[in-house]
Amino acid sequence: MDRTEAAEPAFLARRRRERPWFLAALSTATLIFALDAALSARLVGFLFAAPFVAAFGSRPRWTALAGAYATALAVLVGWPDGFFGSVDHLGRVGVVALGGAIAVWLSIARLRAELARRRYKLLAEAGRIAESTLDGELMLIQVARLAALELADWCFIAVRDPDGGVRAVAAMHWDSERQRLAWRLLTGYPIDAAAAYGASAIMEEGRSRLYTSIDRDVLRRWSADDENLRLLEELEMRSLMVVPMMARGRTLGAIALASSESGVTFGEDDVRLAEELADRVAGAIDNTRLYGELTRAEADLRGSRDELQAILDGVADAITVQRPDGQLVYANHAAVRSMGFSSVEELLSTPVSEIVGRFEYLDEHGEPVSIERLPGRRALAGDPSPEPVLVRFRARHDPTLRWTRIKATPVFGEDGRPVLAINVLEDLTEVHQAHEGQRFLGEAGAMLASSLDYETTLANVARLAVPQVADWCGVDVLDEDGDIRHVVVAHTDPAKVDMAVEHQRRYPVDPNEETGVPNVLRTGEPELYPDIPDEMLVEGARDEEQLAMLRELGMKSVMIVPMAARGRMLGALTFVSAETGRRFGDDDLAFARELASRCALAVDNSRLYGERAHIARTLQESLLPPELPQPPGIEVAARFRAAGEGFDVGGDFYDVFETGSGAWAAVIGDVCGKGPEAAAVTALARYTLRAAAMRDRVPSRILATLNEAMLRQRSDRRFCTVLFATMDRTDAGVRLRFASGGHPLPLLVRADGTVTEIGTPGTLLGIVPDPDLVDATIELQPGDAAILYTDGVTDAAAPDVLREPLDMTGEMGLRGDESADELAQRLLDAALGGERAGEPRDDIAIVVLKARAASGAEGEGDARAVTAGSA
């Protein structure tokens, strides 16, 4: 059972309409009284108009109150006018009182007419529901929803099954939030509880019951246990009526109607109206049951044609009966309507060949279906239970396709041969369209999620929509500067696509147009044109040539829907029906809006992804040196590889800079975590180290300064590992003095290819106020290299924590005859390649410092700079 949508119940609508009239009546009386009192003009007689104002729209009670108020003012106005109690005064008061009485009478008459219209509307709508389906329970659910809007706040329906059991089938409330309580009651309340008072008793007695007021004692008698009592109390019922559903002398069920927040107290008139509704519903239920019985009793069908006609004429599905020669001998009204005839007699008198010739039958794949494949023909051929066939059919002069499931049952004669075939044509057009719509939305959603290139995915969705949704589909988007940009137009015929593109080139969209895509983008409201007459084309064309092109496109129906996300207008989808002749309606518009919403979300996500990735790249680049300086006598190379897709700024960093007086420093570090917080710690570390290196030359003291700064300036307990090194030229090569604050120790690669790890690990920075930091020194001979790296190198692509880390001294294959750049690249390739190929789990940073071989041309000139490497 579907939950009720939020709707305004009838009593609230009436109350909302009545109050303004009542207030207007009081205002009229007050105004006349004020004018009379101010002018002493003896306007008292005009007060009789006030209750008539109320009578136009208020209930008799409110009209009477307005009349009493006007009469009271008429009495009071005698004092300021100076004729209180006189014959003239009393006469005028009598006129006002008489006017009030007449107004009350008019209000009563108006209310009775309104109740009659309400009764007619209710019963007519109930009849329409009863005729629209052969599913008895679905009909009862729809009737309960109708009654919850028109008669009461709550509606409960219980039925008696053919075996004598009683069960609840519907529980409704006009408010969607309260509807949840109806579900709980429907599933948790035993219908046979308190049989002497509830639905079971009404079914047994066959007469209605009215409870003008409901108290806790009554609820307790109706409850099977405390949980049932609690559920009933949550209904907050104030008045209740229970009426039986009876047909042909049998009680088929009961309808219970209760008021709660409306405050309505039911009376006998309400009971009579509810009984009429119950009789109408009972007749429909009885018909559906009879229909089921008749389809199982072919012999009774042959002998009771008149009864069958009376029953099946109320069935929504088309039903026909045909003889072995194919001639129809029976058809209900639904069959007459679906086949386009004006009467049963006209249909039955038309030859079968002519009837068949009116329609084109296609299977699910669009292939023609021969008449011999239809279940009716197979039933007449002797098949006792032919399989139902799902077909698409349309009249040859009408392009509208309908989906129907055709079922047939043979009726055998005494000789065992089929003498009749009963055909049931169940219209599944709406069901199929809903199913196809959901399938299409699923495919479109998967397509939209498959790529972050929104223009490509939108183009694919447009092509997917043709011809399932429309003959044409176009997509327009709003650029960041507010310009309308056409993305794609799709059609099954490439020649027509070229024609549409040419039309757009020669007649670009005017952003100030009052209709079409510009208006939809401007207002955010969709536009639906069920029909496109030629007059509309003439009015919209700029010249005769454009008019000819528009006519050649053959537009029959158009809908344009906005693509909006997070309160921003992103673009619009345009759907055009042409060759198929389909007419778009409200259901098509709702489907198109859902598709547009999903497209808008994909566009918005793509743009957000691009913005976030751009910000992350920009911030990451700002935390790394754009160029690597090349100090005298030292060859420097670096590599950096961010983990993941680049959404977040990584915590790995490195730097090479001059500290003054020809001295140089190199630093590499790894900050805990990712994102803006890690970037802030990275910036703090880089610039603190640069500043400290200008005042101090001892690496351990420089790292201690950074540790103190982190403890003083950061309260989030983020830590980092850092290796800081100073570089000095010596006669023999380069002296590297360094200290590690919890960072991986550097690798020393000798010119002969020997690789060793040097130094003593220290304490992480940013954790304790007095970290353990130890200075170490490496003497680099010409051709020797020191490699600084982050721990991302050792476990960059490890699939899980059980994987052994990379052996930095054994697996790398580092050679002393390689340049600094070659060493850096080899280390990166070893970390990512081979068995470990894939996306790294952590950022990778590598800095290679290699002592240059002595050269007479080198000297002590200015340091050179090279672009920092990245992967």
Side-chain angles (χ1 to χ4, degrees):
M1 178 173 60
D2 296 334
R3 288 180 55 195
T4 56
E5 299 293 336
E8 184 179 48
F11 74 87
L12 287 181
R14 291 194 295 272
R15 186 175 299 173
R16 177 173 52 79
R17 293 193 301 266
E18 290 172 351
R19 287 175 179 170
W21 289 101
F22 176 66
L23 295 176
L26 298 184
S27 300
T28 300
T30 303
L31 178 61
I32 294 173
F33 176 80
L35 290 174
D36 187 280
L39 303 176
S40 299
R42 298 192 179 184
L43 302 175
V44 61
F46 291 100
L47 288 169
F48 82 94
F52 282 95
V53 172
F56 278 112
S58 297
R59 286 174 288 178
R61 182 179 64 181
W62 287 7
T63 303
L65 290 175
Y69 179 70
T71 303
L73 293 181
V75 173
L76 295 175
V77 81
W79 273 292
D81 287 349
F83 72 127
F84 181 80
S86 66
V87 174
D88 186 16
H89 180 224
L90 294 178
R92 293 173 186 260
V93 171
V95 169
V96 175
L98 179 60
I102 295 174
V104 171
W105 179 81
L106 289 175
S107 178
I108 293 173
R110 182 190 59 78
L111 181 61
R112 287 177 177 172
E114 182 179 322
L115 290 175
R117 288 194 300 271
R118 173 186 166 200
R119 172 183 173 276
Y120 174 78
K121 175 184 176 183
L122 175 68
L123 296 179
E125 180 64 18
R128 186 197 65 79
I129 292 173
E131 292 177 359
S132 65
T133 178
L134 280 176
D135 188 331
E137 294 196 7
L138 177 60
M139 177 193 65
L140 291 176
I141 292 170
Q142 294 175 344
V143 168
R145 181 182 291 113
L146 173 66
L149 284 172
E150 296 293 336
L151 286 181
D153 301 307
W154 295 94
C155 180
F156 304 92
I157 300 181
V159 297
R160 174 178 286 170
D161 290 328
D163 59 4
V166 178
R167 58 190 177 89
V169 296
M172 285 288 173
H173 189 277
W174 56 265
D175 181 74
S176 59
E177 294 299 326
R178 299 274 282 167
Q179 179 62 32
R180 298 191 184 95
L181 179 59
W183 270 97
R184 289 164 52 199
L185 192 69
L186 183 66
T187 57
Y189 188 81
I191 197 64
D192 291 328
Y197 303 95
S200 297
I202 276 69
M203 294 181 196
E204 292 296 332
E205 297 173 3
R207 62 183 182 87
S208 304
R209 284 192 180 184
L210 172 63
Y211 303 90
T212 55
S213 62
I214 305 295
D215 55 26
R216 184 178 176 84
D217 292 336
V218 173
L219 297 180
R220 185 177 291 108
R221 290 198 301 271
W222 289 347
S223 302
D225 51 37
D226 291 341
E227 177 63 20
N228 294 152
L229 177 61
R230 187 182 64 79
L231 287 173
L232 289 173
E233 287 178 337
E234 287 189 46
L235 297 182
E236 299 177 352
M237 291 189 296
R238 299 188 180 183
S239 184
L240 174 70
M241 53 183 174
V242 187
V243 295
M245 296 187 298
M246 302 184 66
R248 297 192 299 159
R250 296 182 302 163
T251 303
L252 305 181
I255 300 177
L257 298 160
S259 68
S260 57
E261 53 265 35
S262 65
V264 173
T265 299
F266 296 130
E268 294 299 331
D269 290 341
D270 299 300
V271 173
R272 284 191 289 272
L273 179 56
E275 288 175 342
E276 290 188 57
L277 175 64
D279 290 342
R280 183 69 58 91
V281 173
I285 295 176
D286 192 46
N287 285 344
T288 60
R289 292 181 177 179
L290 283 174
Y291 169 72
E293 294 172 0
L294 286 170
T295 55
R296 293 188 299 268
E298 295 85 359
D300 292 341
L301 175 65
R302 293 195 305 270
S304 307
R305 179 173 178 174
D306 292 340
E307 184 178 1
L308 176 66
Q309 182 75 42
I311 295 170
L312 298 183
D313 276 346
V315 176
D317 293 335
I319 300 176
T320 62
V321 180
Q322 61 184 145
R323 296 196 301 256
D325 60 1
Q327 184 62 40
L328 297 180
V329 296
Y330 170 81
N332 67 348
H333 291 309
V336 173
R337 290 193 301 269
S338 66
M339 296 183 183
F341 289 86
S342 59
S343 66
V344 173
E345 291 73 19
E346 181 187 2
L347 173 59
L348 298 182
S349 62
T350 302
V352 175
S353 59
E354 182 178 336
I355 297 174
V356 173
R358 289 190 176 196
F359 301 96
E360 179 183 8
Y361 293 91
L362 306 173
D363 62 16
E364 297 178 67
H365 308 291
E367 298 296 328
V369 177
S370 66
I371 299 301
E372 301 305 321
R373 287 179 54 193
L374 298 180
R377 292 300 180 93
R378 291 163 56 191
L380 291 173
D383 189 343
S385 57
E387 288 291 329
V389 174
L390 180 65
V391 300
R392 291 184 290 172
F393 77 97
R394 61 184 173 192
R396 296 192 183 275
H397 62 276
D398 186 356
T400 304
L401 277 172
R402 307 288 297 177
W403 287 83
T404 185
R405 180 164 55 206
I406 304 177
K407 298 176 285 186
T409 300
V411 178
F412 295 98
E414 294 180 357
D415 59 357
R417 296 180 180 179
V419 294
L420 292 173
I422 304 172
N423 303 296
V424 179
L425 288 76
E426 183 181 3
D427 191 348
L428 299 178
T429 303
E430 293 184 2
V431 175
H432 183 80
Q433 288 176 348
H435 172 74
E436 288 298 304
Q438 291 301 317
R439 184 184 62 81
F440 177 86
L441 289 176
E443 292 182 10
M447 187 175 293
L448 291 168
S450 64
S451 172
L452 286 172
D453 183 354
Y454 72 87
E455 292 195 12
T456 300
T457 54
L458 287 179
N460 291 335
V461 169
R463 297 184 184 98
L464 180 66
V466 175
Q468 297 186 53
V469 179
D471 300 310
W472 295 86
C473 181
V475 182
D476 296 272
V477 297
L478 274 177
D479 286 338
E480 297 297 335
D481 55 4
D483 294 333
I484 301 174
R485 182 165 56 85
H486 189 70
V487 175
V488 68
V489 60
H491 191 279
T492 54
D493 186 352
K496 291 201 171 185
V497 173
D498 295 338
M499 180 176 62
V501 172
E502 176 64 16
H503 176 269
Q504 291 164 352
R505 185 188 66 80
R506 297 176 60 181
Y507 301 96
V509 175
D510 181 0
N512 298 317
E513 288 182 1
E514 296 182 356
T515 59
V517 172
N519 183 60
V520 170
L521 294 176
R522 193 166 46 246
T523 63
E525 293 297 326
E527 292 185 2
L528 173 63
Y529 302 95
D531 293 286
I532 306 294
D534 190 67
E535 294 78 6
M536 184 180 294
L537 300 180
V538 173
E539 182 180 353
R542 302 176 188 175
D543 52 40
E544 290 297 328
E545 191 171 356
Q546 185 183 19
L547 178 60
M549 295 182 73
L550 291 176
R551 284 172 172 167
E552 190 173 355
L553 293 177
M555 295 185 292
K556 296 294 190 299
S557 186
V558 175
M559 56 182 175
I560 309 171
V561 291
M563 293 190 300
R566 296 189 300 127
R568 295 191 307 161
M569 192 58 58
L570 302 177
L573 297 180
T574 302
F575 300 93
V576 179
S577 170
E579 295 85 357
T580 60
R582 178 177 178 179
R583 291 327 191 245
F584 296 132
D586 292 337
D587 291 341
D588 300 301
L589 183 62
F591 169 80
R593 297 190 73 169
E594 174 65 21
L595 177 60
S597 175
R598 299 191 182 197
C599 291
L601 184 60
V603 173
D604 192 49
N605 286 341
S606 177
R607 290 181 175 177
L608 287 175
Y609 171 85
E611 292 172 3
R612 180 178 177 185
H614 175 71
I615 292 172
R617 286 194 302 270
T618 302
L619 184 55
Q620 184 74 69
E621 291 170 359
S622 70
L623 298 175
L624 298 173
E627 294 182 337
L628 280 176
Q630 298 293 309
I634 303 174
E635 182 183 355
V636 181
R639 292 291 186 273
F640 179 82
R641 173 69 178 268
E645 298 181 353
F647 290 141
D648 294 313
V649 181
D652 287 13
F653 67 94
Y654 61 87
D655 202 359
V656 178
F657 56 91
E658 189 174 7
T659 62
S661 302
W664 289 81
V667 61
I668 191 166
D670 186 357
V671 175
C672 168
K674 281 180 173 288
E677 295 81 2
V681 176
T682 300
L684 173 63
R686 281 193 65 197
Y687 297 115
T688 299
L689 290 170
R690 276 180 172 258
M694 295 297 175
R695 301 190 304 268
D696 202 331
R697 292 281 295 162
V698 180
S700 59
R701 292 206 296 260
I702 293 173
L703 293 183
T705 301
L706 173 59
N707 184 73
E708 182 181 354
M710 291 182 64
L711 292 175
R712 184 172 61 252
Q713 299 184 36
R714 303 292 299 185
S715 60
D716 53 8
R717 306 302 295 173
R718 281 187 177 267
F719 61 88
C720 67
T721 67
V722 180
L723 189 144
F724 185 88
T726 60
M727 297 174 285
D728 296 292
R729 288 288 302 275
T730 65
D731 294 337
V734 177
R735 177 179 294 112
L736 199 69
R737 189 180 184 189
F738 67 92
S740 171
H743 199 80
L745 296 174
L747 296 178
L748 175 60
V749 182
R750 294 296 185 185
D752 61 2
T754 304
V755 180
T756 57
E757 191 175 71
I758 304 298
T760 303
T763 307
L764 298 172
L765 302 183
I767 301 296
V768 296
D770 187 18
D772 184 13
L773 302 170
V774 179
D775 292 308
T777 302
I778 302 175
E779 296 290 342
L780 297 179
Q781 304 297 324
D784 293 347
I787 300 178
L788 317 182
Y789 63 93
T790 60
D791 59 2
V793 172
T794 58
D795 60 354
D800 53 56
V801 296
L802 299 179
R803 185 75 174 266
E804 289 295 329
L806 194 66
D807 183 354
M808 297 299 294
T809 61
E811 294 182 14
M812 307 307 295
L814 302 176
R815 301 199 311 271
D817 59 349
E818 293 179 311
S819 66
D821 191 70
E822 290 172 334
L823 285 171
Q825 187 61 45
R826 179 179 293 277
L827 185 60
L828 179 63
D829 292 343
L832 296 178
E835 297 179 357
R836 301 168 184 265
E839 192 67 34
R841 294 189 308 171
D842 195 5
D843 297 340
I844 297 174
I846 302 169
V847 176
V848 178
L849 309 172
K850 183 168 184 177
R852 297 179 184 274
S855 174
E858 184 178 58
E860 298 293 334
D862 293 337
R864 297 178 296 109
V866 297
T867 301
S870 63

